Amino acid sequence: MQNDTKHKKKKAPIICAAIVIGLLAAYLAVILFALIGEAHGELFALIFLLLYGGLIVAVVFGVIAALRQRLKEIEGGEEEDAKKY
């Protein structure tokens, strides 16, 4: 019973993280498409789009780190501790 409850609580963070990562991946694909299609010969545009794409990748890693932390909290039962206050 306890394990089933934890499994249900893990679904929402995983689904939300997957949606955010999917949207960011689509946005990154658009940026890379612009990089391939429009930035030929323009050094400033190339550098800007690469830095912007790197920021998106950093956000994806942040979402994954937050998801791992949330799953550890659920596994450890810390969300029940917060209800006491």
Side-chain angles (χ1 to χ4, degrees), residues 2-74:
Q2 179 76 1
N3 202 13
D4 187 43
T5 305
K6 286 183 181 180
H7 181 69
K8 287 181 182 179
K9 288 183 180 182
K10 288 182 179 182
K11 274 186 182 179
I14 291 172
I15 291 171
C16 290
I19 290 171
V20 169
I21 290 171
L23 289 172
L24 288 172
Y27 191 57
L28 184 61
V30 168
I31 293 211
L32 290 177
F33 181 73
L35 180 69
I36 293 169
E38 300 295 329
H40 290 296
E42 294 291 331
L43 183 60
F44 180 74
L46 179 68
I47 291 171
F48 178 76
L49 289 175
L50 283 175
L51 288 175
Y52 200 67
L55 287 174
I56 294 172
V57 171
V59 170
V60 168
F61 282 123
V63 169
I64 291 170
L67 173 64
R68 290 184 67 205
Q69 181 180 0
R70 179 64 186 137
L71 293 177
K72 284 181 184 178
E73 287 175 359
I74 291 171

